[in-house]
């Protein structure tokens, strides 16, 4: 995992967009974003994910495999993923193959880009503005973890500004400071 401020250039969203200004794991934690690296064997990594599921009461999971060959209307879909939004639940992703970028808003409303690759697990809190895209390899396979039934319902900005989960997040992030 590598995190840094997004450079806001007009290059393709799948490019690194590295501003050269790094963001530490501690700074991500202050935003409520959690990162874990699992670097064991596949079975060891899955055991670690299972332990996390027990600790955080994740009851369901599925896998998503995204590439131009596997996802109909690929270009349109990744643009949809890249639309700024929130969720009313945590977004938990364990990367199994490939790579992508999660962008999250910091307290000053600037984008922080987080590169995730195989072995990375990222927990994005409910209510944080974020977006996702693949990198230029155009492939990622990830396990999605859920506390209840699997759902992925984005609430786009600005409609989400007054959402209860957004307001709860804003209150919580001031406590993280």
């Amino acid at each position: 995992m590598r995190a840094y401020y997004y450079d806001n250039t007009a290059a393709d969203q799948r490019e690194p967009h590295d501003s050269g200004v790094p963001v530490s794991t501690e700074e991500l934690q202050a935003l409520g974003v959690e990162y874990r690296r699992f670097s064991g064997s596949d079975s060891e990594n899955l055991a670690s994910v299972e332990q996390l599921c027990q600790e955080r009461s994740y009851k369901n999971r599925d896998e998503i495999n995204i590439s131009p060959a596997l996802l109909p209307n690929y270009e349109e879909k990744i643009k949809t993923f890249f639309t700024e939004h929130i969720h009313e639940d945590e977004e938990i992703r364990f990367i199994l193959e490939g790579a992508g970028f999660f962008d999250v808003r910091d307290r000053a409303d600037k984008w922080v880009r987080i590169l995730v690759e195989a072995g990375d697990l990222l927990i994005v809190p409910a209510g944080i503005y974020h977006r996702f895209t693949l990198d230029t390899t155009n492939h990622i396979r990830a396990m999605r973890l859920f506390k209840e039934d699997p759902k992925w319902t984005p609430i786009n900005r600005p409609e989400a500004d007054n959402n209860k989960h957004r307001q709860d997040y804003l209150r919580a992030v001031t406590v993280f400071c």
Side-chain angles (χ1 to χ4, degrees), residues 55-149:
E55 292 167 7
R56 296 181 71 99
S57 301
Y58 299 145
K59 298 176 187 153
N60 291 298
R61 68 190 76 183
D62 68 10
E63 278 189 24
I64 187 166
N65 200 348
I66 303 172
S67 73
L70 298 171
L71 184 65
N73 301 314
Y74 174 77
E75 292 294 333
E76 181 182 317
K77 289 285 189 187
I78 63 166
K79 285 187 183 355
T80 300
F81 299 157
F82 201 62
T83 301
E84 183 174 9
H85 62 278
I86 68 166
H87 297 290
E88 293 184 341
D89 295 314
E90 292 180 329
E91 185 165 341
I92 309 97
R93 300 293 181 264
F94 175 54
I95 310 306
L96 300 165
E97 295 174 356
F101 299 104
F102 276 91
D103 296 339
V104 298
R105 291 282 189 183
D106 74 359
R107 284 186 290 280
D109 213 32
K110 295 180 183 174
W111 285 117
V112 173
R113 175 150 275 200
I114 306 164
L115 170 65
V116 290
E117 302 172 288
D120 290 341
L121 183 134
L122 196 68
I123 302 171
V124 177
I128 191 173
Y129 278 118
H130 67 283
R131 60 191 184 188
F132 174 78
T133 192
L134 282 71
D135 70 356
T136 56
T137 65
N138 288 310
H139 175 251
I140 197 165
R141 185 169 67 94
M143 180 184 297
R144 305 186 305 175
L145 305 171
F146 304 92
K147 290 195 176 198
E148 300 298 333
D149 291 331

Side-chain angles (χ1 to χ4, degrees), residues 22-42:
V23 174
S24 70
T25 303
E26 293 77 21
E27 289 171 291
L28 291 177
Q29 288 173 340
L31 298 174
V33 176
E34 295 184 43
Y35 168 77
R36 298 185 189 189
R37 174 79 186 156
F38 299 128
S39 55
S41 68
D42 287 349

Side-chain angles (χ1 to χ4, degrees), residues 84-90 125-130 151 153-172:
E84 183 174 9
H85 62 278
I86 68 166
H87 297 290
E88 293 184 341
D89 295 314
E90 292 180 329
I128 191 173
Y129 278 118
H130 67 283
K151 66 179 180 178
T153 306
I155 304 167
N156 293 342
R157 193 173 198 178
E159 292 81 24
D161 286 345
N162 295 317
N163 179 282
K164 174 193 179 318
H165 298 275
R166 174 69 181 158
Q167 295 304 310
D168 289 348
Y169 169 75
L170 291 172
R171 279 189 290 281

Side-chain angles (χ1 to χ4, degrees), residues 4-11 16-20 111:
Y4 49 86
Y5 279 97
Y6 186 85
D7 68 8
N8 289 311
T9 64
H17 287 276
D18 190 343
S19 67
W111 285 117

